[in-house]
Amino acid sequence: MNCPYCLHHTTSVGDSRPIEGGAAIRRRRRCRNCDSRFTTLERVILRPLQVIKRNGKREPFDWTKLQRSLMMALRKRDVTDDQITAMVN
């Protein structure tokens, strides 16, 4: 984390606490260079799952496509539909 005052790259965390029911973290930081204190807020950003194909192309994950392929691959095996659904989930 860079200091917003002197742009030095080394800071230390003095205090961390969850906020918003654990969805974010508030951290009090101190710059080791200029001794300034500042607060950061960290949140998780969820992106939809993507599949990277062999040719490098990306496409969104399709649950039904995976389930259909597993059913086709396991049709002669002793695997139930519920087990396949559990695998996909």
Side-chain angles (χ1 to χ4, degrees):
M1 182 80 215
N2 290 338
C3 174
Y5 303 106
C6 70
L7 301 177
H8 194 259
H9 58 82
T10 306
T11 60
S12 59
V13 176
D15 178 41
S16 292
R17 63 178 65 160
I19 59 172
E20 299 174 7
I25 297 177
R26 180 187 164 272
R27 297 191 196 274
R28 282 294 289 164
R29 295 183 177 266
R30 184 179 57 82
C31 177
R32 292 186 181 175
N33 185 44
C34 68
D35 208 36
S36 297
R37 296 178 185 264
F38 57 97
T39 302
T40 59
L41 182 66
E42 299 176 14
R43 286 198 173 109
V44 174
I45 299 173
L46 297 176
R47 290 194 219 159
L49 292 176
Q50 292 207 342
V51 176
I52 302 174
K53 301 299 227 173
R54 287 184 185 171
N55 64 2
K57 182 181 170 191
R58 294 174 183 252
E59 65 179 48
F61 174 75
D62 187 4
W63 184 86
T64 55
K65 187 175 179 181
L66 178 60
Q67 185 181 27
R68 189 173 50 239
S69 298
L70 282 172
M71 285 186 168
M72 199 178 335
L74 299 172
R75 68 178 173 250
K76 293 184 181 179
R77 304 276 182 183
D78 189 26
V79 179
T80 65
D81 290 347
D82 292 336
Q83 289 174 318
I84 292 174
T85 303
M87 268 191 276
V88 173
N89 287 336

